Amino acid sequence: MLSLSAPEKGMKPHYLLLFLFQLFLLPLYALESRSSRIDHHQGTELLDSHDDFIPKISPLGSPQPLLPLLAPSPLTPFTNTSIPKLSGLCTLNFSAAKSLISVTAIDCWEVFAPFLANVICCPQLEATLTILIGQSSKRTGIFALNGTVAKHCLSDVEQILMGQGASNNLRQICSVHSSNLTEASCPVKNVNDFYNVVDTSKLLTACEKIDPVKECCYQVCQNAILEAATAMASNGSHILGVDAPHVQPEHSVRVNDCRNVVLRWVASKLEPSQAKKVLRGLSNCNVNKVCPLVFPDMKQVAKGCGNGISSKTACCNAMESYVSHLQKQSFITNLQALDCADTLAMKLKRSNITEDVYSICHISLKDFSLQVGNQEAGCLLPSLPSDATFDRTGISFLCDLNDNIPAPWPSTFKVASSSCNKSVNIPALPAAASSQSCLYSHDVLFFLLVALSFLLMTIV
């Protein structure tokens, strides 16, 4: 669990020392993001784990998830609670999802929003918008906003979230546009029309409660949603003067737009907390299917490791340098890490690297995720939906640091990132982090302070 809080004026020297130590561990982008708020909030701090204190688990075993060892923040946690400037022109009832909005603000907290975007922040933001519109339909009878109102509502949501400490750049981070709040190209948006076209009883039975693991494998709710969206798109073809056979529902933009409307209907039939579980579970199925990392050019790796490895040191230095670029991008889930390892291996093979450089250079799954401290403290997020939390220690989220598993080289076996392929028996498949209590030792905090003191003296 990672914790953040804001420094205060006149803090004691040893607290300042700890704060400076934490700054050394922040990724460069986090420091840049932080600078946009430091004038108003006097900064942030990140308390990181120290991998030396994490038990070493054999990669061939079945380790239980572990929350990284942390020293608690000595400072009072801080989030912005400014009063948002609302347009007054949005028809959504924000009070109906007050607690949901608070969770979204924490999930999209400014410093971490870019790094948690793919797994936590953006799925939660999308679920919040869907639920707000779905709940609103009970009063308006419509599952969409018109273009003008959508602009005001999106702006108001941003203002409310920013007022609670969220990033001011969520539109860009999550690629959210006001058109996402409209019906877009879906021809069905009225509640009455929806009931005339969709088998709502079947849809609700499939989606009112889902198992986030089984749903990703068997897609019961997803298939029901696709069926409803396809029916809506096909029905609308008559309205728009288009022949239904030419719609190609499974590939059309219209079906995807109708899918959003279907999700709003589902959200309207459930309590916001239950709707969130369903929506986040559905989005996580897609999240875990794809590696979100951007792989830079690998000429140096090909030079050091290609056509037979003449120098193990040169090869592994090139691999370490390459992987370090991946470690600056974002936190990923343990299942995404499997996909990323497979994707990189395919690229390496196309660069005439035939030997298992993962094994030779000791590349593990954690090496593909953002590093939270030293080079051995990569944080894999749980494969199941999770949220950041806010308490007296600051902003925290779960890491699955106990999955100390070597990255699999495809020539050995190929892993289905969905983990639905039961015929594949890989050792110690990453498991979602549990809700174990965070451990704390005064000796650890003392060690960190002494270590930083020595570091500062050597720098000076």
Side-chain angles (χ1 to χ4, degrees), residues 51-87:
D51 199 55
D52 292 341
F53 301 102
I54 299 176
K56 302 299 181 182
I57 306 294
S58 169
L60 298 180
S62 297
Q64 294 300 313
L66 175 72
L67 296 181
L69 188 63
L70 289 184
S73 170
L75 307 174
T76 303
F78 178 86
T79 54
N80 181 16
T81 55
S82 62
I83 299 175
K85 297 180 180 179
L86 303 183
S87 65

PDB file of all heavy atoms in Angstrom, residues 51-87:
ATOM      1  N   ASP A  51      12.372  -2.888  -0.396  1.00  0.00           N
ATOM      2  CA  ASP A  51      12.250  -4.280  -0.788  1.00  0.00           C
ATOM      3  C   ASP A  51      13.059  -5.220   0.092  1.00  0.00           C
ATOM      4  O   ASP A  51      12.797  -6.406   0.148  1.00  0.00           O
ATOM      5  CB  ASP A  51      12.695  -4.437  -2.250  1.00  0.00           C
ATOM      6  CG  ASP A  51      12.182  -5.720  -2.871  1.00  0.00           C
ATOM      7  OD1 ASP A  51      10.954  -5.924  -2.834  1.00  0.00           O
ATOM      8  OD2 ASP A  51      12.997  -6.496  -3.367  1.00  0.00           O
ATOM      9  N   ASP A  52      14.083  -4.700   0.775  1.00  0.00           N
ATOM     10  CA  ASP A  52      14.874  -5.546   1.649  1.00  0.00           C
ATOM     11  C   ASP A  52      14.036  -6.132   2.763  1.00  0.00           C
ATOM     12  O   ASP A  52      14.401  -7.140   3.366  1.00  0.00           O
ATOM     13  CB  ASP A  52      16.039  -4.752   2.248  1.00  0.00           C
ATOM     14  CG  ASP A  52      17.066  -4.380   1.196  1.00  0.00           C
ATOM     15  OD1 ASP A  52      17.068  -5.024   0.132  1.00  0.00           O
ATOM     16  OD2 ASP A  52      17.849  -3.456   1.442  1.00  0.00           O
ATOM     17  N   PHE A  53      12.921  -5.495   3.074  1.00  0.00           N
ATOM     18  CA  PHE A  53      12.092  -5.947   4.170  1.00  0.00           C
ATOM     19  C   PHE A  53      10.926  -6.805   3.715  1.00  0.00           C
ATOM     20  O   PHE A  53      10.108  -7.224   4.507  1.00  0.00           O
ATOM     21  CB  PHE A  53      11.553  -4.741   4.943  1.00  0.00           C
ATOM     22  CG  PHE A  53      12.644  -3.889   5.487  1.00  0.00           C
ATOM     23  CD1 PHE A  53      12.976  -2.712   4.850  1.00  0.00           C
ATOM     24  CD2 PHE A  53      13.372  -4.288   6.599  1.00  0.00           C
ATOM     25  CE1 PHE A  53      13.988  -1.917   5.335  1.00  0.00           C
ATOM     26  CE2 PHE A  53      14.385  -3.490   7.084  1.00  0.00           C
ATOM     27  CZ  PHE A  53      14.713  -2.305   6.456  1.00  0.00           C
ATOM     28  N   ILE A  54      10.855  -7.061   2.387  1.00  0.00           N
ATOM     29  CA  ILE A  54       9.802  -7.916   1.858  1.00  0.00           C
ATOM     30  C   ILE A  54      10.304  -9.350   1.828  1.00  0.00           C
ATOM     31  O   ILE A  54      11.363  -9.616   1.278  1.00  0.00           O
ATOM     32  CB  ILE A  54       9.406  -7.470   0.439  1.00  0.00           C
ATOM     33  CG1 ILE A  54       8.867  -6.042   0.483  1.00  0.00           C
ATOM     34  CG2 ILE A  54       8.374  -8.419  -0.156  1.00  0.00           C
ATOM     35  CD1 ILE A  54       8.543  -5.498  -0.866  1.00  0.00           C
ATOM     36  N   PRO A  55       9.595 -10.292   2.400  1.00  0.00           N
ATOM     37  CA  PRO A  55      10.048 -11.685   2.422  1.00  0.00           C
ATOM     38  C   PRO A  55      10.281 -12.202   1.018  1.00  0.00           C
ATOM     39  O   PRO A  55       9.509 -11.938   0.102  1.00  0.00           O
ATOM     40  CB  PRO A  55       8.884 -12.430   3.093  1.00  0.00           C
ATOM     41  CG  PRO A  55       8.163 -11.378   3.863  1.00  0.00           C
ATOM     42  CD  PRO A  55       8.314 -10.119   3.082  1.00  0.00           C
ATOM     43  N   LYS A  56      11.354 -12.955   0.835  1.00  0.00           N
ATOM     44  CA  LYS A  56      11.657 -13.555  -0.455  1.00  0.00           C
ATOM     45  C   LYS A  56      10.865 -14.851  -0.610  1.00  0.00           C
ATOM     46  O   LYS A  56      10.953 -15.745   0.226  1.00  0.00           O
ATOM     47  CB  LYS A  56      13.152 -13.843  -0.578  1.00  0.00           C
ATOM     48  CG  LYS A  56      14.014 -12.597  -0.410  1.00  0.00           C
ATOM     49  CD  LYS A  56      13.710 -11.548  -1.467  1.00  0.00           C
ATOM     50  CE  LYS A  56      14.605 -10.325  -1.306  1.00  0.00           C
ATOM     51  NZ  LYS A  56      14.298  -9.282  -2.278  1.00  0.00           N
ATOM     52  N   ILE A  57      10.082 -14.958  -1.679  1.00  0.00           N
ATOM     53  CA  ILE A  57       9.247 -16.124  -1.912  1.00  0.00           C
ATOM     54  C   ILE A  57       9.722 -16.839  -3.166  1.00  0.00           C
ATOM     55  O   ILE A  57      10.000 -16.206  -4.177  1.00  0.00           O
ATOM     56  CB  ILE A  57       7.766 -15.726  -2.076  1.00  0.00           C
ATOM     57  CG1 ILE A  57       7.305 -14.892  -0.879  1.00  0.00           C
ATOM     58  CG2 ILE A  57       6.895 -16.962  -2.261  1.00  0.00           C
ATOM     59  CD1 ILE A  57       7.289 -15.655   0.422  1.00  0.00           C
ATOM     60  N   SER A  58       9.828 -18.132  -3.100  1.00  0.00           N
ATOM     61  CA  SER A  58      10.240 -18.900  -4.263  1.00  0.00           C
ATOM     62  C   SER A  58       9.242 -18.734  -5.389  1.00  0.00           C
ATOM     63  O   SER A  58       8.040 -18.866  -5.180  1.00  0.00           O
ATOM     64  CB  SER A  58      10.346 -20.387  -3.890  1.00  0.00           C
ATOM     65  OG  SER A  58      10.497 -21.166  -5.064  1.00  0.00           O
ATOM     66  N   PRO A  59       9.720 -18.466  -6.610  1.00  0.00           N
ATOM     67  CA  PRO A  59       8.791 -18.278  -7.733  1.00  0.00           C
ATOM     68  C   PRO A  59       8.057 -19.552  -8.110  1.00  0.00           C
ATOM     69  O   PRO A  59       7.104 -19.528  -8.867  1.00  0.00           O
ATOM     70  CB  PRO A  59       9.712 -17.818  -8.876  1.00  0.00           C
ATOM     71  CG  PRO A  59      11.062 -18.354  -8.502  1.00  0.00           C
ATOM     72  CD  PRO A  59      11.111 -18.290  -6.998  1.00  0.00           C
ATOM     73  N   LEU A  60       8.484 -20.698  -7.590  1.00  0.00           N
ATOM     74  CA  LEU A  60       7.823 -21.951  -7.914  1.00  0.00           C
ATOM     75  C   LEU A  60       6.739 -22.306  -6.921  1.00  0.00           C
ATOM     76  O   LEU A  60       6.037 -23.289  -7.077  1.00  0.00           O
ATOM     77  CB  LEU A  60       8.858 -23.086  -7.967  1.00  0.00           C
ATOM     78  CG  LEU A  60       9.941 -22.924  -9.043  1.00  0.00           C
ATOM     79  CD1 LEU A  60      10.890 -24.095  -9.004  1.00  0.00           C
ATOM     80  CD2 LEU A  60       9.328 -22.766 -10.412  1.00  0.00           C
ATOM     81  N   GLY A  61       6.593 -21.519  -5.874  1.00  0.00           N
ATOM     82  CA  GLY A  61       5.565 -21.782  -4.881  1.00  0.00           C
ATOM     83  C   GLY A  61       4.273 -21.101  -5.237  1.00  0.00           C
ATOM     84  O   GLY A  61       4.072 -20.650  -6.350  1.00  0.00           O
ATOM     85  N   SER A  62       3.369 -21.020  -4.289  1.00  0.00           N
ATOM     86  CA  SER A  62       2.094 -20.325  -4.483  1.00  0.00           C
ATOM     87  C   SER A  62       1.962 -19.282  -3.392  1.00  0.00           C
ATOM     88  O   SER A  62       1.243 -19.466  -2.410  1.00  0.00           O
ATOM     89  CB  SER A  62       0.929 -21.315  -4.425  1.00  0.00           C
ATOM     90  OG  SER A  62       1.034 -22.245  -5.457  1.00  0.00           O
ATOM     91  N   PRO A  63       2.678 -18.168  -3.521  1.00  0.00           N
ATOM     92  CA  PRO A  63       2.730 -17.182  -2.443  1.00  0.00           C
ATOM     93  C   PRO A  63       1.409 -16.484  -2.233  1.00  0.00           C
ATOM     94  O   PRO A  63       0.648 -16.279  -3.170  1.00  0.00           O
ATOM     95  CB  PRO A  63       3.791 -16.193  -2.939  1.00  0.00           C
ATOM     96  CG  PRO A  63       3.705 -16.285  -4.428  1.00  0.00           C
ATOM     97  CD  PRO A  63       3.407 -17.737  -4.713  1.00  0.00           C
ATOM     98  N   GLN A  64       1.139 -16.124  -1.007  1.00  0.00           N
ATOM     99  CA  GLN A  64      -0.026 -15.312  -0.697  1.00  0.00           C
ATOM    100  C   GLN A  64       0.317 -13.851  -0.935  1.00  0.00           C
ATOM    101  O   GLN A  64       1.448 -13.426  -0.712  1.00  0.00           O
ATOM    102  CB  GLN A  64      -0.431 -15.520   0.771  1.00  0.00           C
ATOM    103  CG  GLN A  64      -0.923 -16.932   1.053  1.00  0.00           C
ATOM    104  CD  GLN A  64      -2.144 -17.277   0.221  1.00  0.00           C
ATOM    105  OE1 GLN A  64      -3.069 -16.492   0.143  1.00  0.00           O
ATOM    106  NE2 GLN A  64      -2.127 -18.460  -0.391  1.00  0.00           N
ATOM    107  N   PRO A  65      -0.634 -13.066  -1.409  1.00  0.00           N
ATOM    108  CA  PRO A  65      -0.381 -11.650  -1.665  1.00  0.00           C
ATOM    109  C   PRO A  65       0.066 -10.942  -0.392  1.00  0.00           C
ATOM    110  O   PRO A  65      -0.344 -11.287   0.709  1.00  0.00           O
ATOM    111  CB  PRO A  65      -1.733 -11.122  -2.145  1.00  0.00           C
ATOM    112  CG  PRO A  65      -2.450 -12.336  -2.611  1.00  0.00           C
ATOM    113  CD  PRO A  65      -1.983 -13.452  -1.735  1.00  0.00           C
ATOM    114  N   LEU A  66       0.910  -9.933  -0.574  1.00  0.00           N
ATOM    115  CA  LEU A  66       1.446  -9.199   0.565  1.00  0.00           C
ATOM    116  C   LEU A  66       1.379  -7.708   0.303  1.00  0.00           C
ATOM    117  O   LEU A  66       1.679  -7.261  -0.794  1.00  0.00           O
ATOM    118  CB  LEU A  66       2.907  -9.606   0.805  1.00  0.00           C
ATOM    119  CG  LEU A  66       3.658  -8.857   1.893  1.00  0.00           C
ATOM    120  CD1 LEU A  66       3.143  -9.297   3.257  1.00  0.00           C
ATOM    121  CD2 LEU A  66       5.145  -9.122   1.793  1.00  0.00           C
ATOM    122  N   LEU A  67       0.975  -6.954   1.295  1.00  0.00           N
ATOM    123  CA  LEU A  67       1.026  -5.508   1.178  1.00  0.00           C
ATOM    124  C   LEU A  67       2.427  -5.067   1.533  1.00  0.00           C
ATOM    125  O   LEU A  67       2.976  -5.500   2.535  1.00  0.00           O
ATOM    126  CB  LEU A  67       0.014  -4.862   2.131  1.00  0.00           C
ATOM    127  CG  LEU A  67      -1.441  -5.190   1.827  1.00  0.00           C
ATOM    128  CD1 LEU A  67      -2.334  -4.481   2.820  1.00  0.00           C
ATOM    129  CD2 LEU A  67      -1.798  -4.760   0.427  1.00  0.00           C
ATOM    130  N   PRO A  68       3.060  -4.209   0.722  1.00  0.00           N
ATOM    131  CA  PRO A  68       4.425  -3.821   0.986  1.00  0.00           C
ATOM    132  C   PRO A  68       4.585  -3.137   2.342  1.00  0.00           C
ATOM    133  O   PRO A  68       3.676  -2.487   2.840  1.00  0.00           O
ATOM    134  CB  PRO A  68       4.754  -2.844  -0.158  1.00  0.00           C
ATOM    135  CG  PRO A  68       3.487  -2.601  -0.857  1.00  0.00           C
ATOM    136  CD  PRO A  68       2.471  -3.598  -0.433  1.00  0.00           C
ATOM    137  N   LEU A  69       5.769  -3.297   2.911  1.00  0.00           N
ATOM    138  CA  LEU A  69       6.074  -2.752   4.217  1.00  0.00           C
ATOM    139  C   LEU A  69       6.277  -1.251   4.115  1.00  0.00           C
ATOM    140  O   LEU A  69       7.077  -0.778   3.329  1.00  0.00           O
ATOM    141  CB  LEU A  69       7.348  -3.412   4.742  1.00  0.00           C
ATOM    142  CG  LEU A  69       7.748  -3.136   6.173  1.00  0.00           C
ATOM    143  CD1 LEU A  69       6.703  -3.670   7.133  1.00  0.00           C
ATOM    144  CD2 LEU A  69       9.095  -3.784   6.452  1.00  0.00           C
ATOM    145  N   LEU A  70       5.540  -0.485   4.905  1.00  0.00           N
ATOM    146  CA  LEU A  70       5.597   0.967   4.825  1.00  0.00           C
ATOM    147  C   LEU A  70       5.733   1.599   6.193  1.00  0.00           C
ATOM    148  O   LEU A  70       5.226   1.083   7.176  1.00  0.00           O
ATOM    149  CB  LEU A  70       4.313   1.536   4.201  1.00  0.00           C
ATOM    150  CG  LEU A  70       4.099   1.302   2.723  1.00  0.00           C
ATOM    151  CD1 LEU A  70       2.838   2.022   2.295  1.00  0.00           C
ATOM    152  CD2 LEU A  70       5.267   1.811   1.936  1.00  0.00           C
ATOM    153  N   ALA A  71       6.396   2.722   6.223  1.00  0.00           N
ATOM    154  CA  ALA A  71       6.353   3.557   7.416  1.00  0.00           C
ATOM    155  C   ALA A  71       5.180   4.505   7.264  1.00  0.00           C
ATOM    156  O   ALA A  71       4.983   5.085   6.202  1.00  0.00           O
ATOM    157  CB  ALA A  71       7.650   4.346   7.541  1.00  0.00           C
ATOM    158  N   PRO A  72       4.327   4.671   8.277  1.00  0.00           N
ATOM    159  CA  PRO A  72       3.182   5.570   8.146  1.00  0.00           C
ATOM    160  C   PRO A  72       3.618   7.017   8.076  1.00  0.00           C
ATOM    161  O   PRO A  72       4.666   7.388   8.589  1.00  0.00           O
ATOM    162  CB  PRO A  72       2.381   5.295   9.420  1.00  0.00           C
ATOM    163  CG  PRO A  72       3.392   4.830  10.394  1.00  0.00           C
ATOM    164  CD  PRO A  72       4.410   4.066   9.606  1.00  0.00           C
ATOM    165  N   SER A  73       2.825   7.822   7.416  1.00  0.00           N
ATOM    166  CA  SER A  73       3.156   9.232   7.294  1.00  0.00           C
ATOM    167  C   SER A  73       3.051   9.941   8.637  1.00  0.00           C
ATOM    168  O   SER A  73       2.079   9.770   9.360  1.00  0.00           O
ATOM    169  CB  SER A  73       2.210   9.902   6.295  1.00  0.00           C
ATOM    170  OG  SER A  73       2.379  11.294   6.338  1.00  0.00           O
ATOM    171  N   PRO A  74       4.050  10.748   9.000  1.00  0.00           N
ATOM    172  CA  PRO A  74       3.966  11.504  10.246  1.00  0.00           C
ATOM    173  C   PRO A  74       3.159  12.780  10.087  1.00  0.00           C
ATOM    174  O   PRO A  74       2.989  13.534  11.022  1.00  0.00           O
ATOM    175  CB  PRO A  74       5.435  11.833  10.522  1.00  0.00           C
ATOM    176  CG  PRO A  74       6.031  11.963   9.161  1.00  0.00           C
ATOM    177  CD  PRO A  74       5.315  10.935   8.306  1.00  0.00           C
ATOM    178  N   LEU A  75       2.666  13.012   8.872  1.00  0.00           N
ATOM    179  CA  LEU A  75       1.981  14.265   8.589  1.00  0.00           C
ATOM    180  C   LEU A  75       0.496  14.039   8.378  1.00  0.00           C
ATOM    181  O   LEU A  75       0.056  12.954   8.029  1.00  0.00           O
ATOM    182  CB  LEU A  75       2.581  14.906   7.329  1.00  0.00           C
ATOM    183  CG  LEU A  75       4.104  15.068   7.367  1.00  0.00           C
ATOM    184  CD1 LEU A  75       4.587  15.558   6.024  1.00  0.00           C
ATOM    185  CD2 LEU A  75       4.503  16.034   8.463  1.00  0.00           C
ATOM    186  N   THR A  76      -0.291  15.041   8.570  1.00  0.00           N
ATOM    187  CA  THR A  76      -1.730  14.956   8.363  1.00  0.00           C
ATOM    188  C   THR A  76      -2.034  14.865   6.877  1.00  0.00           C
ATOM    189  O   THR A  76      -1.562  15.667   6.091  1.00  0.00           O
ATOM    190  CB  THR A  76      -2.431  16.211   8.926  1.00  0.00           C
ATOM    191  OG1 THR A  76      -2.100  16.334  10.302  1.00  0.00           O
ATOM    192  CG2 THR A  76      -3.932  16.099   8.763  1.00  0.00           C
ATOM    193  N   PRO A  77      -2.800  13.851   6.422  1.00  0.00           N
ATOM    194  CA  PRO A  77      -3.133  13.725   5.008  1.00  0.00           C
ATOM    195  C   PRO A  77      -3.913  14.944   4.525  1.00  0.00           C
ATOM    196  O   PRO A  77      -4.650  15.558   5.279  1.00  0.00           O
ATOM    197  CB  PRO A  77      -3.979  12.455   4.941  1.00  0.00           C
ATOM    198  CG  PRO A  77      -4.503  12.290   6.321  1.00  0.00           C
ATOM    199  CD  PRO A  77      -3.456  12.834   7.240  1.00  0.00           C
ATOM    200  N   PHE A  78      -3.752  15.254   3.263  1.00  0.00           N
ATOM    201  CA  PHE A  78      -4.372  16.460   2.734  1.00  0.00           C
ATOM    202  C   PHE A  78      -4.942  16.219   1.359  1.00  0.00           C
ATOM    203  O   PHE A  78      -4.300  15.634   0.511  1.00  0.00           O
ATOM    204  CB  PHE A  78      -3.317  17.563   2.632  1.00  0.00           C
ATOM    205  CG  PHE A  78      -3.864  18.849   2.046  1.00  0.00           C
ATOM    206  CD1 PHE A  78      -4.487  19.785   2.843  1.00  0.00           C
ATOM    207  CD2 PHE A  78      -3.755  19.098   0.695  1.00  0.00           C
ATOM    208  CE1 PHE A  78      -4.991  20.961   2.302  1.00  0.00           C
ATOM    209  CE2 PHE A  78      -4.252  20.272   0.150  1.00  0.00           C
ATOM    210  CZ  PHE A  78      -4.871  21.208   0.956  1.00  0.00           C
ATOM    211  N   THR A  79      -6.161  16.608   1.164  1.00  0.00           N
ATOM    212  CA  THR A  79      -6.745  16.669  -0.171  1.00  0.00           C
ATOM    213  C   THR A  79      -7.475  17.997  -0.317  1.00  0.00           C
ATOM    214  O   THR A  79      -7.981  18.548   0.650  1.00  0.00           O
ATOM    215  CB  THR A  79      -7.762  15.531  -0.412  1.00  0.00           C
ATOM    216  OG1 THR A  79      -8.736  15.546   0.621  1.00  0.00           O
ATOM    217  CG2 THR A  79      -7.078  14.175  -0.454  1.00  0.00           C
ATOM    218  N   ASN A  80      -7.507  18.483  -1.513  1.00  0.00           N
ATOM    219  CA  ASN A  80      -8.162  19.753  -1.773  1.00  0.00           C
ATOM    220  C   ASN A  80      -9.663  19.618  -1.584  1.00  0.00           C
ATOM    221  O   ASN A  80     -10.287  18.697  -2.084  1.00  0.00           O
ATOM    222  CB  ASN A  80      -7.841  20.188  -3.211  1.00  0.00           C
ATOM    223  CG  ASN A  80      -8.468  21.516  -3.564  1.00  0.00           C
ATOM    224  OD1 ASN A  80      -8.894  22.265  -2.678  1.00  0.00           O
ATOM    225  ND2 ASN A  80      -8.504  21.817  -4.848  1.00  0.00           N
ATOM    226  N   THR A  81     -10.250  20.515  -0.851  1.00  0.00           N
ATOM    227  CA  THR A  81     -11.702  20.479  -0.631  1.00  0.00           C
ATOM    228  C   THR A  81     -12.323  21.815  -1.013  1.00  0.00           C
ATOM    229  O   THR A  81     -13.200  22.328  -0.325  1.00  0.00           O
ATOM    230  CB  THR A  81     -12.031  20.155   0.836  1.00  0.00           C
ATOM    231  OG1 THR A  81     -11.369  21.102   1.684  1.00  0.00           O
ATOM    232  CG2 THR A  81     -11.578  18.751   1.188  1.00  0.00           C
ATOM    233  N   SER A  82     -11.849  22.395  -2.100  1.00  0.00           N
ATOM    234  CA  SER A  82     -12.362  23.682  -2.533  1.00  0.00           C
ATOM    235  C   SER A  82     -13.787  23.540  -3.065  1.00  0.00           C
ATOM    236  O   SER A  82     -14.199  22.468  -3.509  1.00  0.00           O
ATOM    237  CB  SER A  82     -11.455  24.274  -3.622  1.00  0.00           C
ATOM    238  OG  SER A  82     -11.437  23.433  -4.749  1.00  0.00           O
ATOM    239  N   ILE A  83     -14.540  24.615  -3.009  1.00  0.00           N
ATOM    240  CA  ILE A  83     -15.922  24.611  -3.490  1.00  0.00           C
ATOM    241  C   ILE A  83     -15.917  24.745  -5.015  1.00  0.00           C
ATOM    242  O   ILE A  83     -15.382  25.704  -5.560  1.00  0.00           O
ATOM    243  CB  ILE A  83     -16.719  25.775  -2.872  1.00  0.00           C
ATOM    244  CG1 ILE A  83     -16.745  25.628  -1.347  1.00  0.00           C
ATOM    245  CG2 ILE A  83     -18.132  25.810  -3.434  1.00  0.00           C
ATOM    246  CD1 ILE A  83     -17.409  26.783  -0.634  1.00  0.00           C
ATOM    247  N   PRO A  84     -16.488  23.753  -5.725  1.00  0.00           N
ATOM    248  CA  PRO A  84     -16.459  23.793  -7.192  1.00  0.00           C
ATOM    249  C   PRO A  84     -17.370  24.880  -7.753  1.00  0.00           C
ATOM    250  O   PRO A  84     -18.403  25.211  -7.166  1.00  0.00           O
ATOM    251  CB  PRO A  84     -16.960  22.400  -7.580  1.00  0.00           C
ATOM    252  CG  PRO A  84     -17.823  21.982  -6.437  1.00  0.00           C
ATOM    253  CD  PRO A  84     -17.169  22.558  -5.213  1.00  0.00           C
ATOM    254  N   LYS A  85     -16.982  25.422  -8.885  1.00  0.00           N
ATOM    255  CA  LYS A  85     -17.796  26.412  -9.582  1.00  0.00           C
ATOM    256  C   LYS A  85     -18.624  25.690 -10.646  1.00  0.00           C
ATOM    257  O   LYS A  85     -18.123  25.354 -11.718  1.00  0.00           O
ATOM    258  CB  LYS A  85     -16.900  27.472 -10.226  1.00  0.00           C
ATOM    259  CG  LYS A  85     -16.092  28.291  -9.215  1.00  0.00           C
ATOM    260  CD  LYS A  85     -15.227  29.321  -9.924  1.00  0.00           C
ATOM    261  CE  LYS A  85     -14.417  30.142  -8.921  1.00  0.00           C
ATOM    262  NZ  LYS A  85     -13.535  31.137  -9.594  1.00  0.00           N
ATOM    263  N   LEU A  86     -19.873  25.424 -10.331  1.00  0.00           N
ATOM    264  CA  LEU A  86     -20.729  24.664 -11.234  1.00  0.00           C
ATOM    265  C   LEU A  86     -21.497  25.568 -12.186  1.00  0.00           C
ATOM    266  O   LEU A  86     -21.761  26.734 -11.893  1.00  0.00           O
ATOM    267  CB  LEU A  86     -21.712  23.811 -10.419  1.00  0.00           C
ATOM    268  CG  LEU A  86     -21.082  22.837  -9.407  1.00  0.00           C
ATOM    269  CD1 LEU A  86     -22.168  22.025  -8.728  1.00  0.00           C
ATOM    270  CD2 LEU A  86     -20.060  21.937 -10.078  1.00  0.00           C
ATOM    271  N   SER A  87     -21.884  25.000 -13.317  1.00  0.00           N
ATOM    272  CA  SER A  87     -22.561  25.775 -14.352  1.00  0.00           C
ATOM    273  C   SER A  87     -24.015  26.075 -13.976  1.00  0.00           C
ATOM    274  O   SER A  87     -24.578  27.072 -14.412  1.00  0.00           O
ATOM    275  CB  SER A  87     -22.543  24.992 -15.673  1.00  0.00           C
ATOM    276  OG  SER A  87     -23.297  23.788 -15.551  1.00  0.00           O
TER     277      SER A  87
END
